[in-house]
Amino acid sequence: MVFDELRIRNASIRPAHILAPMAGITDTVFRRFIKQLRGCGLIMTEFVSSEGMIRQNLKSQRFLYYKDEERPISAQIFGADPDHLSEAARMIEDLGFDLIDLNLGCPAKKVVKCGGSGLLRDLPLLGRIFSRIRSSVRIPFTAKIRSGWSDDEIVAVPVARMAEECGVEAVAVHPRTRMQGYSGAANWEIIQQVKESVRIPVIGNGDVTTPQAASALWERTHCDAVMIGRAAPANPWIFRQMMDYFATGTFTEPSDADRYQLIRSYYAMLVEESQPGAIGKMKQFASWFTHGVRNGTDLRRRVQSAQTTGEVLDRVDQFFAALFNTDEQFHIADPPSSHNESFHNRGCLVH
Ligand SMILES: Cc1cc2nc3c(=O)[nH]c(=O)nc-3n(C[C@H](O)[C@H](O)[C@H](O)COP(=O)(O)O)c2cc1C
């Protein structure tokens, strides 16, 4: 089956569906939330500064917090100093992470001066970094790259080859250049070129927003795993949908009741964990989670103007109660699909 399993030495990633690292999004709560919905074989932390780790800065420590139920889990680090990166890598191993990943993709100005996609312009330094990290840890070591700095400096193939020679055990490719940022389309041909150039597994990333797109990515590149970024907060079911699609050729779309349950359970997790900035996260996620909900704009507006987490929860409940009441009045309630039932069975529609 397509994207059935990816093995990186002793790490089994099954299915071979990976949640992309996303700063400000893929914290421990979101990662566990995605895991619960099934279909995601590997999750990754947001990128963490090796310099911050060495200074034991609180933010880095928070980024590296995880729970056992998140396994297998990979920690992503960035930096440009080989000694500091190797020290940070050892710390990651000591913290018990299953894998370590090096960020070679971040396009932010602040970051490219000291790592991220900036390293794609200095391959001798990058080679030293690969070797130093490799010799510092025993856990599987992967790298996540962009295609290059600009259209005139496409280096994905030489970087992937060098990574392989230095003992990096898989490479994830987001085929946009640093100059592109997130604009334009991801050029999957680069993923294909990398796949044809190395023996280590290649993880394809970029613009996969549906199970059909994941299938097209595989057809095009024969990559070993698919990594999903921005589609995950908008449609956290995408991992399970891919699993169903590859197994049966079909998958179900979430109903309004599913979306209600999704928002409610994510918000409840944020509140329970007393996450710093929980209300900010609620507002941030409202704009993603409510896409596809009827009158989603109204719900987003109500969430945005709430002052407390309790108020957010009340407004979400009121909105959906009104939505479902209207359905009952007009007898247009969706028959629960098997997918919906699993949520209902947990009694989640009752506040
Ligand atoms: C808000 C945001 C934060 C991101 N943070 C990271 C990061 O910390 N590390 C990283 O390697 N890539 C990061 N990325 C890039 C994603 O991992 C991914 O490569 C990119 O979004 C393309 O995949 P997609 O089309 O599936 O979104 C980030 C992307 C977004 C939108």
Side-chain angles (χ1 to χ4, degrees):
M1 202 168 73
V2 177
F3 299 136
D4 188 27
E5 183 183 18
L6 167 65
R7 282 201 81 86
I8 306 179
R9 209 162 16 112
N10 53 342
S12 166
I13 296 158
R14 196 178 174 91
H17 304 161
I18 302 173
L19 173 65
M22 285 182 287
I25 300 177
T26 53
D27 60 14
T28 175
V29 176
F30 185 72
R31 295 191 305 254
R32 275 181 278 137
F33 178 68
I34 288 288
K35 276 290 258 215
Q36 277 178 18
L37 293 172
R38 297 196 305 112
C40 181
L42 178 70
I43 50 180
M44 300 176 67
T45 66
E46 334 176 26
F47 71 158
V48 186
S49 155
S50 50
E51 305 298 329
M53 284 178 67
I54 290 166
R55 286 197 307 271
Q56 305 209 318
N57 115 2
L58 277 179
K59 210 156 130 191
S60 305
Q61 290 175 1
R62 203 173 70 232
F63 289 161
L64 291 171
Y65 176 79
Y66 69 96
K67 292 199 173 181
D68 254 353
E69 66 215 60
E70 297 182 42
R71 291 186 189 282
I73 179 168
S74 175
Q76 189 187 61
I77 57 172
F78 77 95
D81 182 307
D83 291 335
H84 292 178
L85 279 162
S86 88
E87 192 178 336
R90 268 195 301 275
M91 291 164 80
I92 295 292
E93 183 163 77
D94 290 346
L95 286 168
F97 282 95
D98 301 295
L99 303 97
I100 181 162
D101 184 77
L102 176 66
N103 178 308
L104 298 172
C106 184
K109 266 200 186 127
K110 225 166 59 182
V111 173
V112 297
K113 284 189 230 146
C114 54
S117 58
L119 286 174
L120 299 176
R121 302 187 99 181
D122 189 345
L123 300 199
L125 172 61
L126 182 55
R128 288 201 298 283
I129 289 173
F130 281 151
S131 301
R132 290 285 280 119
I133 296 180
R134 179 64 289 170
S135 59
S136 310
V137 292
R138 289 178 305 272
I139 51 174
F141 170 32
T142 64
K144 179 165 176 284
I145 68 174
R146 278 187 178 243
S147 20
W149 182 263
S150 66
D151 284 344
D152 300 328
E153 295 174 68
I154 301 291
V155 292
V157 167
V159 166
R161 284 198 176 126
M162 183 170 73
E164 180 171 47
E165 277 162 26
C166 296
V168 175
E169 291 165 275
V171 62
V173 183
H174 172 206
R176 284 189 174 85
T177 65
R178 184 269 168 184
M179 296 308 282
Q180 253 183 298
Y182 291 93
S183 67
N187 179 1
W188 290 352
E189 197 185 326
I190 305 242
I191 300 176
Q192 183 190 347
Q193 288 168 7
V194 171
K195 177 64 192 160
E196 287 167 1
S197 311
V198 294
R199 285 180 309 278
I200 53 174
V202 173
I203 300 158
N205 170 231
D207 297 349
V208 177
T209 53
T210 59
Q212 294 92 326
S215 174
L217 173 74
W218 186 82
E219 294 279 339
R220 179 69 197 273
T221 68
H222 284 120
C223 61
D224 302 276
V226 57
M227 178 182 274
I228 306 284
R230 290 162 297 175
N235 174 18
W237 295 277
I238 187 166
F239 299 97
R240 188 159 82 194
Q241 288 176 338
M242 288 194 295
M243 212 165 63
D244 292 346
Y245 185 66
F246 291 132
T248 66
T250 59
F251 64 93
T252 49
E253 291 288 355
S255 65
D256 284 339
D258 291 334
R259 289 193 180 279
Y260 173 46
Q261 156 55 18
L262 179 91
I263 297 170
R264 211 55 186 72
S265 65
Y266 179 69
Y267 284 3
M269 280 171 85
L270 282 175
V271 172
E272 262 168 40
E273 310 250 336
S274 325
Q275 277 267 311
I279 186 154
K281 286 259 171 191
M282 285 173 154
K283 292 182 180 184
Q284 180 191 358
F285 277 84
S287 59
W288 283 310
F289 285 174
T290 53
H291 282 291
V293 175
R294 278 169 293 155
N295 290 335
T297 331
D298 181 30
L299 175 55
R300 282 193 286 282
R301 211 179 35 241
R302 291 190 205 191
V303 171
Q304 292 304 338
S305 62
Q307 304 289 320
T308 63
T309 54
E311 212 170 75
V312 172
L313 291 176
D314 287 346
R315 288 179 183 198
V316 168
D317 289 343
Q318 283 157 12
F319 174 87
F320 281 100
L323 196 70
F324 298 142
N325 264 339
T326 315
D327 279 354
E328 268 170 33
Q329 277 169 26
F330 292 99
H331 306 289
I332 55 167
D334 294 329
S337 61
S338 54
H339 176 63
N340 297 345
E341 272 166 351
S342 68
F343 285 126
H344 294 182
N345 289 344
R346 284 187 241 152
C348 296
L349 284 175
V350 186
H351 170 35

Short mmCIF file of all heavy atoms in Angstrom, two decimals, residues 18-26 44-48 76-78 101-107 143-146 172-176 181-182 186 188 204-209 226-233 284 288, ligand 1:
data_model
loop_
_atom_site.label_atom_id
_atom_site.label_comp_id
_atom_site.label_asym_id
_atom_site.label_seq_id
_atom_site.Cartn_x
_atom_site.Cartn_y
_atom_site.Cartn_z
N ILE A 18 3.63 12.03 7.82
CA ILE A 18 4.36 12.81 8.83
C ILE A 18 3.75 14.20 8.97
O ILE A 18 3.46 14.86 7.97
CB ILE A 18 5.85 12.91 8.42
CG1 ILE A 18 6.43 11.49 8.28
CG2 ILE A 18 6.64 13.75 9.42
CD1 ILE A 18 7.85 11.45 7.72
N LEU A 19 3.56 14.61 10.22
CA LEU A 19 3.11 15.99 10.47
C LEU A 19 4.34 16.89 10.37
O LEU A 19 5.31 16.71 11.11
CB LEU A 19 2.49 16.08 11.88
CG LEU A 19 2.12 17.49 12.34
CD1 LEU A 19 1.00 18.10 11.49
CD2 LEU A 19 1.70 17.48 13.82
N ALA A 20 4.30 17.87 9.47
CA ALA A 20 5.45 18.77 9.27
C ALA A 20 5.67 19.62 10.52
O ALA A 20 4.72 19.99 11.20
CB ALA A 20 5.18 19.68 8.07
N PRO A 21 6.93 19.94 10.79
CA PRO A 21 7.17 20.87 11.91
C PRO A 21 6.64 22.25 11.51
O PRO A 21 6.90 22.71 10.40
CB PRO A 21 8.70 20.89 12.02
CG PRO A 21 9.21 20.44 10.69
CD PRO A 21 8.16 19.55 10.09
N MET A 22 5.90 22.88 12.39
CA MET A 22 5.39 24.23 12.10
C MET A 22 5.47 25.07 13.37
O MET A 22 4.76 24.81 14.35
CB MET A 22 3.96 24.18 11.57
CG MET A 22 3.88 23.69 10.13
SD MET A 22 2.21 23.67 9.50
CE MET A 22 1.53 22.27 10.36
N ALA A 23 6.35 26.07 13.34
CA ALA A 23 6.54 26.94 14.50
C ALA A 23 5.22 27.63 14.83
O ALA A 23 4.53 28.12 13.95
CB ALA A 23 7.62 27.98 14.18
N GLY A 24 4.88 27.64 16.12
CA GLY A 24 3.65 28.29 16.56
C GLY A 24 2.43 27.39 16.41
O GLY A 24 1.34 27.75 16.83
N ILE A 25 2.59 26.22 15.81
CA ILE A 25 1.44 25.33 15.61
C ILE A 25 1.66 23.96 16.24
O ILE A 25 0.84 23.50 17.04
CB ILE A 25 1.13 25.16 14.09
CG1 ILE A 25 0.82 26.52 13.47
CG2 ILE A 25 -0.02 24.18 13.88
CD1 ILE A 25 0.58 26.50 11.99
N THR A 26 2.78 23.32 15.91
CA THR A 26 2.93 21.92 16.31
C THR A 26 3.53 21.78 17.72
O THR A 26 4.57 21.17 17.92
CB THR A 26 3.77 21.13 15.28
OG1 THR A 26 5.01 21.82 15.06
CG2 THR A 26 3.04 21.01 13.96
N MET A 44 6.61 15.91 14.70
CA MET A 44 7.88 16.59 14.93
C MET A 44 7.64 17.85 15.76
O MET A 44 6.58 18.47 15.66
CB MET A 44 8.51 17.00 13.59
CG MET A 44 8.77 15.80 12.71
SD MET A 44 9.40 16.24 11.08
CE MET A 44 11.01 16.92 11.46
N THR A 45 8.64 18.23 16.54
CA THR A 45 8.51 19.48 17.30
C THR A 45 8.64 20.66 16.34
O THR A 45 9.07 20.49 15.20
CB THR A 45 9.64 19.62 18.34
OG1 THR A 45 10.88 19.78 17.64
CG2 THR A 45 9.72 18.43 19.27
N GLU A 46 8.31 21.84 16.81
CA GLU A 46 8.62 23.04 16.06
C GLU A 46 10.16 23.16 16.08
O GLU A 46 10.81 22.52 16.89
CB GLU A 46 8.06 24.31 16.73
CG GLU A 46 6.86 24.05 17.57
CD GLU A 46 6.32 25.27 18.31
OE1 GLU A 46 6.51 26.41 17.87
OE2 GLU A 46 5.67 25.04 19.34
N PHE A 47 10.74 23.96 15.21
CA PHE A 47 12.20 24.06 15.22
C PHE A 47 12.68 24.76 16.50
O PHE A 47 12.03 25.66 17.02
CB PHE A 47 12.76 24.69 13.95
CG PHE A 47 12.52 26.15 13.76
CD1 PHE A 47 13.35 26.88 12.90
CD2 PHE A 47 11.50 26.82 14.39
CE1 PHE A 47 13.15 28.23 12.70
CE2 PHE A 47 11.29 28.18 14.20
CZ PHE A 47 12.13 28.88 13.36
N VAL A 48 13.80 24.26 17.01
CA VAL A 48 14.33 24.77 18.27
C VAL A 48 15.77 25.22 18.03
O VAL A 48 16.55 24.51 17.39
CB VAL A 48 14.33 23.66 19.35
CG1 VAL A 48 14.75 24.23 20.70
CG2 VAL A 48 12.98 23.01 19.46
N GLN A 76 13.28 18.84 16.00
CA GLN A 76 13.99 19.56 14.95
C GLN A 76 14.81 20.69 15.55
O GLN A 76 14.29 21.50 16.31
CB GLN A 76 13.02 20.14 13.93
CG GLN A 76 13.78 20.69 12.73
CD GLN A 76 12.90 21.44 11.74
OE1 GLN A 76 12.28 22.44 12.08
NE2 GLN A 76 12.85 20.96 10.52
N ILE A 77 16.10 20.75 15.17
CA ILE A 77 16.94 21.83 15.68
C ILE A 77 17.46 22.66 14.50
O ILE A 77 17.47 22.20 13.36
CB ILE A 77 18.14 21.31 16.52
CG1 ILE A 77 19.01 20.32 15.72
CG2 ILE A 77 17.66 20.66 17.79
CD1 ILE A 77 20.31 19.94 16.44
N PHE A 78 17.86 23.88 14.83
CA PHE A 78 18.53 24.70 13.81
C PHE A 78 19.70 25.43 14.45
O PHE A 78 19.78 25.57 15.67
CB PHE A 78 17.57 25.67 13.12
CG PHE A 78 17.21 26.89 13.94
CD1 PHE A 78 17.91 28.09 13.78
CD2 PHE A 78 16.17 26.85 14.85
CE1 PHE A 78 17.58 29.22 14.53
CE2 PHE A 78 15.83 27.97 15.60
CZ PHE A 78 16.54 29.16 15.44
N ASP A 101 16.13 15.92 13.76
CA ASP A 101 16.06 16.47 12.41
C ASP A 101 16.77 17.83 12.40
O ASP A 101 16.66 18.60 13.36
CB ASP A 101 14.60 16.65 12.00
CG ASP A 101 14.46 17.15 10.57
OD1 ASP A 101 14.64 16.33 9.66
OD2 ASP A 101 14.19 18.35 10.37
N LEU A 102 17.47 18.10 11.30
CA LEU A 102 18.15 19.40 11.16
C LEU A 102 17.34 20.25 10.18
O LEU A 102 17.04 19.81 9.06
CB LEU A 102 19.57 19.19 10.63
CG LEU A 102 20.36 20.47 10.34
CD1 LEU A 102 20.64 21.26 11.63
CD2 LEU A 102 21.67 20.15 9.62
N ASN A 103 17.02 21.47 10.61
CA ASN A 103 16.24 22.38 9.76
C ASN A 103 17.16 23.08 8.76
O ASN A 103 18.06 23.82 9.14
CB ASN A 103 15.55 23.43 10.65
CG ASN A 103 14.75 24.45 9.84
OD1 ASN A 103 15.26 25.06 8.91
ND2 ASN A 103 13.50 24.64 10.21
N LEU A 104 16.88 22.84 7.48
CA LEU A 104 17.63 23.53 6.41
C LEU A 104 16.65 24.22 5.48
O LEU A 104 16.87 24.31 4.27
CB LEU A 104 18.48 22.51 5.63
CG LEU A 104 19.53 21.80 6.47
CD1 LEU A 104 20.21 20.68 5.70
CD2 LEU A 104 20.59 22.82 6.93
N GLY A 105 15.54 24.68 6.06
CA GLY A 105 14.50 25.23 5.21
C GLY A 105 13.97 26.58 5.63
O GLY A 105 13.38 27.29 4.82
N CYS A 106 14.19 26.95 6.90
CA CYS A 106 13.51 28.18 7.36
C CYS A 106 13.98 29.37 6.53
O CYS A 106 15.18 29.62 6.39
CB CYS A 106 13.77 28.42 8.85
SG CYS A 106 12.82 29.86 9.40
N PRO A 107 13.02 30.13 5.97
CA PRO A 107 13.38 31.27 5.12
C PRO A 107 13.46 32.60 5.86
O PRO A 107 13.85 33.61 5.27
CB PRO A 107 12.21 31.31 4.12
CG PRO A 107 11.02 30.83 4.91
CD PRO A 107 11.55 29.89 5.97
N ALA A 143 17.27 15.20 7.81
CA ALA A 143 17.36 16.64 7.52
C ALA A 143 16.16 17.04 6.69
O ALA A 143 15.63 16.25 5.92
CB ALA A 143 18.65 16.93 6.76
N LYS A 144 15.73 18.29 6.87
CA LYS A 144 14.60 18.80 6.08
C LYS A 144 15.10 19.99 5.28
O LYS A 144 15.57 20.98 5.86
CB LYS A 144 13.45 19.19 7.01
CG LYS A 144 12.25 19.75 6.27
CD LYS A 144 11.02 19.77 7.18
CE LYS A 144 9.82 20.40 6.51
NZ LYS A 144 9.89 21.86 6.44
N ILE A 145 15.02 19.87 3.96
CA ILE A 145 15.64 20.88 3.10
C ILE A 145 14.61 21.57 2.21
O ILE A 145 13.53 21.04 1.97
CB ILE A 145 16.74 20.25 2.20
CG1 ILE A 145 16.12 19.29 1.17
CG2 ILE A 145 17.77 19.49 3.03
CD1 ILE A 145 17.14 18.76 0.16
N ARG A 146 14.98 22.73 1.73
CA ARG A 146 14.28 23.36 0.60
C ARG A 146 15.07 23.03 -0.67
O ARG A 146 16.16 22.46 -0.59
CB ARG A 146 14.21 24.87 0.79
CG ARG A 146 13.09 25.29 1.70
CD ARG A 146 12.94 26.79 1.73
NE ARG A 146 11.82 27.13 2.59
CZ ARG A 146 10.71 27.75 2.19
NH1 ARG A 146 10.57 28.15 0.94
NH2 ARG A 146 9.74 28.01 3.04
N ALA A 172 13.85 15.08 4.06
CA ALA A 172 12.52 15.59 3.69
C ALA A 172 12.75 16.78 2.76
O ALA A 172 13.59 17.64 3.04
CB ALA A 172 11.75 16.03 4.93
N VAL A 173 12.01 16.81 1.66
CA VAL A 173 12.22 17.87 0.68
C VAL A 173 10.96 18.72 0.53
O VAL A 173 9.90 18.21 0.16
CB VAL A 173 12.59 17.26 -0.71
CG1 VAL A 173 12.89 18.37 -1.71
CG2 VAL A 173 13.76 16.30 -0.59
N HIS A 174 11.10 20.01 0.85
CA HIS A 174 10.04 20.98 0.56
C HIS A 174 10.54 21.76 -0.66
O HIS A 174 11.40 22.65 -0.52
CB HIS A 174 9.82 21.91 1.77
CG HIS A 174 8.89 23.05 1.45
ND1 HIS A 174 8.93 24.26 2.11
CD2 HIS A 174 7.89 23.17 0.54
CE1 HIS A 174 7.99 25.06 1.62
NE2 HIS A 174 7.36 24.42 0.66
N PRO A 175 10.01 21.43 -1.84
CA PRO A 175 10.64 21.94 -3.06
C PRO A 175 10.21 23.36 -3.45
O PRO A 175 9.65 23.58 -4.51
CB PRO A 175 10.24 20.90 -4.11
CG PRO A 175 8.92 20.40 -3.64
CD PRO A 175 8.92 20.51 -2.14
N ARG A 176 10.49 24.27 -2.57
CA ARG A 176 10.43 25.70 -2.88
C ARG A 176 11.78 26.27 -2.51
O ARG A 176 12.47 25.73 -1.64
CB ARG A 176 9.37 26.42 -2.05
CG ARG A 176 7.94 26.18 -2.50
CD ARG A 176 6.98 27.12 -1.76
NE ARG A 176 5.63 27.03 -2.25
CZ ARG A 176 4.74 26.13 -1.84
NH1 ARG A 176 5.07 25.25 -0.92
NH2 ARG A 176 3.53 26.11 -2.35
N GLY A 181 9.79 31.64 -0.49
CA GLY A 181 9.01 31.59 0.75
C GLY A 181 7.95 30.52 0.62
O GLY A 181 8.26 29.35 0.44
N TYR A 182 6.69 30.95 0.69
CA TYR A 182 5.59 29.98 0.54
C TYR A 182 4.78 30.28 -0.71
O TYR A 182 3.69 29.74 -0.90
CB TYR A 182 4.70 30.01 1.79
CG TYR A 182 5.43 29.45 2.98
CD1 TYR A 182 6.12 30.29 3.84
CD2 TYR A 182 5.49 28.08 3.19
CE1 TYR A 182 6.84 29.77 4.90
CE2 TYR A 182 6.20 27.56 4.25
CZ TYR A 182 6.87 28.41 5.10
OH TYR A 182 7.58 27.89 6.14
N ALA A 186 4.77 24.19 -5.08
CA ALA A 186 5.92 23.33 -4.76
C ALA A 186 6.26 22.54 -6.04
O ALA A 186 5.36 22.02 -6.70
CB ALA A 186 5.55 22.38 -3.63
N TRP A 188 7.37 19.48 -7.45
CA TRP A 188 7.57 18.08 -7.07
C TRP A 188 8.65 17.39 -7.90
O TRP A 188 9.16 16.34 -7.51
CB TRP A 188 6.24 17.31 -7.20
CG TRP A 188 5.23 17.68 -6.17
CD1 TRP A 188 5.41 18.48 -5.09
CD2 TRP A 188 3.87 17.24 -6.11
NE1 TRP A 188 4.24 18.58 -4.36
CE2 TRP A 188 3.28 17.83 -4.97
CE3 TRP A 188 3.09 16.40 -6.92
CZ2 TRP A 188 1.95 17.61 -4.62
CZ3 TRP A 188 1.76 16.17 -6.57
CH2 TRP A 188 1.19 16.78 -5.43
N GLY A 204 8.43 13.39 0.86
CA GLY A 204 7.92 14.45 -0.02
C GLY A 204 7.02 15.39 0.75
O GLY A 204 6.19 14.98 1.55
N ASN A 205 7.19 16.69 0.50
CA ASN A 205 6.43 17.71 1.23
C ASN A 205 6.10 18.86 0.26
O ASN A 205 6.87 19.14 -0.65
CB ASN A 205 7.28 18.20 2.41
CG ASN A 205 6.71 19.42 3.11
OD1 ASN A 205 7.40 20.43 3.31
ND2 ASN A 205 5.46 19.37 3.50
N GLY A 206 4.96 19.49 0.51
CA GLY A 206 4.62 20.69 -0.26
C GLY A 206 3.32 20.56 -1.02
O GLY A 206 3.21 19.77 -1.96
N ASP A 207 2.32 21.32 -0.55
CA ASP A 207 1.04 21.45 -1.26
C ASP A 207 0.21 20.17 -1.28
O ASP A 207 -0.64 20.01 -2.16
CB ASP A 207 1.24 21.93 -2.71
CG ASP A 207 1.86 23.32 -2.78
OD1 ASP A 207 1.92 23.99 -1.73
OD2 ASP A 207 2.27 23.73 -3.88
N VAL A 208 0.42 19.29 -0.33
CA VAL A 208 -0.46 18.11 -0.25
C VAL A 208 -1.61 18.48 0.68
O VAL A 208 -1.42 18.65 1.88
CB VAL A 208 0.30 16.87 0.25
CG1 VAL A 208 -0.67 15.69 0.40
CG2 VAL A 208 1.43 16.52 -0.71
N THR A 209 -2.79 18.64 0.09
CA THR A 209 -3.93 19.11 0.88
C THR A 209 -5.08 18.10 0.87
O THR A 209 -6.07 18.30 1.59
CB THR A 209 -4.46 20.45 0.32
OG1 THR A 209 -4.71 20.26 -1.07
CG2 THR A 209 -3.46 21.57 0.50
N VAL A 226 5.00 10.88 3.03
CA VAL A 226 4.44 12.20 2.72
C VAL A 226 4.39 13.02 4.00
O VAL A 226 4.05 12.50 5.06
CB VAL A 226 3.04 12.07 2.07
CG1 VAL A 226 2.05 11.31 2.95
CG2 VAL A 226 2.45 13.44 1.74
N MET A 227 4.76 14.28 3.88
CA MET A 227 4.74 15.18 5.03
C MET A 227 3.69 16.28 4.77
O MET A 227 3.69 16.89 3.71
CB MET A 227 6.12 15.81 5.21
CG MET A 227 6.21 16.79 6.35
SD MET A 227 7.86 17.53 6.45
CE MET A 227 8.71 16.33 7.44
N ILE A 228 2.83 16.47 5.77
CA ILE A 228 1.72 17.43 5.62
C ILE A 228 1.92 18.61 6.56
O ILE A 228 2.07 18.41 7.77
CB ILE A 228 0.37 16.75 5.99
CG1 ILE A 228 0.14 15.46 5.20
CG2 ILE A 228 -0.80 17.72 5.85
CD1 ILE A 228 -0.26 15.63 3.79
N GLY A 229 1.89 19.81 6.01
CA GLY A 229 2.03 20.99 6.84
C GLY A 229 0.72 21.73 7.00
O GLY A 229 -0.14 21.37 7.81
N ARG A 230 0.53 22.76 6.19
CA ARG A 230 -0.59 23.68 6.40
C ARG A 230 -1.96 23.03 6.33
O ARG A 230 -2.93 23.54 6.90
CB ARG A 230 -0.48 24.84 5.40
CG ARG A 230 0.69 25.76 5.73
CD ARG A 230 1.07 26.61 4.55
NE ARG A 230 1.53 25.81 3.43
CZ ARG A 230 1.83 26.29 2.24
NH1 ARG A 230 1.69 27.57 2.02
NH2 ARG A 230 2.26 25.49 1.28
N ALA A 231 -2.07 21.91 5.62
CA ALA A 231 -3.39 21.27 5.53
C ALA A 231 -3.81 20.68 6.89
O ALA A 231 -5.00 20.50 7.13
CB ALA A 231 -3.38 20.18 4.47
N ALA A 232 -2.83 20.41 7.76
CA ALA A 232 -3.17 19.71 9.01
C ALA A 232 -4.05 20.54 9.96
O ALA A 232 -5.05 20.02 10.46
CB ALA A 232 -1.91 19.21 9.71
N PRO A 233 -3.71 21.82 10.21
CA PRO A 233 -4.62 22.56 11.09
C PRO A 233 -5.98 22.86 10.43
O PRO A 233 -6.97 23.03 11.14
CB PRO A 233 -3.86 23.85 11.41
CG PRO A 233 -2.77 23.95 10.42
CD PRO A 233 -2.47 22.56 9.94
N GLN A 284 -6.34 31.64 17.16
CA GLN A 284 -5.55 31.27 15.99
C GLN A 284 -6.18 30.05 15.29
O GLN A 284 -6.34 30.03 14.07
CB GLN A 284 -4.13 30.93 16.47
CG GLN A 284 -3.15 30.51 15.40
CD GLN A 284 -1.87 29.94 16.03
OE1 GLN A 284 -1.72 29.89 17.25
NE2 GLN A 284 -0.96 29.48 15.20
N TRP A 288 -8.71 28.37 11.36
CA TRP A 288 -8.49 27.18 10.53
C TRP A 288 -9.64 26.18 10.66
O TRP A 288 -10.16 25.68 9.68
CB TRP A 288 -7.21 26.46 10.95
CG TRP A 288 -5.97 27.11 10.46
CD1 TRP A 288 -5.69 27.51 9.19
CD2 TRP A 288 -4.82 27.44 11.24
NE1 TRP A 288 -4.45 28.06 9.12
CE2 TRP A 288 -3.89 28.03 10.36
CE3 TRP A 288 -4.50 27.29 12.59
CZ2 TRP A 288 -2.65 28.47 10.79
CZ3 TRP A 288 -3.26 27.72 13.01
CH2 TRP A 288 -2.35 28.31 12.12
C1 LIG B 1 3.42 28.62 10.22
C2 LIG B 1 4.50 27.73 9.68
C3 LIG B 1 5.57 27.39 10.47
C4 LIG B 1 6.59 26.55 9.97
N1 LIG B 1 7.61 26.19 10.80
C5 LIG B 1 8.54 25.30 10.35
C6 LIG B 1 9.55 24.80 11.22
O1 LIG B 1 9.61 25.12 12.42
N2 LIG B 1 10.46 23.93 10.70
C7 LIG B 1 10.42 23.53 9.37
O2 LIG B 1 11.26 22.73 8.94
N3 LIG B 1 9.46 23.98 8.55
C8 LIG B 1 8.52 24.83 9.00
N4 LIG B 1 7.51 25.22 8.18
C9 LIG B 1 7.43 24.64 6.81
C10 LIG B 1 6.55 23.38 6.82
O3 LIG B 1 7.13 22.38 7.62
C11 LIG B 1 6.37 22.83 5.38
O4 LIG B 1 7.63 22.49 4.86
C12 LIG B 1 5.70 23.83 4.45
O5 LIG B 1 4.59 24.44 5.06
C13 LIG B 1 5.27 23.15 3.14
O6 LIG B 1 4.38 22.11 3.37
P1 LIG B 1 2.77 22.28 3.17
O7 LIG B 1 2.54 22.75 1.76
O8 LIG B 1 2.22 20.91 3.44
O9 LIG B 1 2.33 23.32 4.15
C14 LIG B 1 6.52 26.06 8.64
C15 LIG B 1 5.43 26.43 7.85
C16 LIG B 1 4.43 27.23 8.34
C17 LIG B 1 3.25 27.58 7.45
#
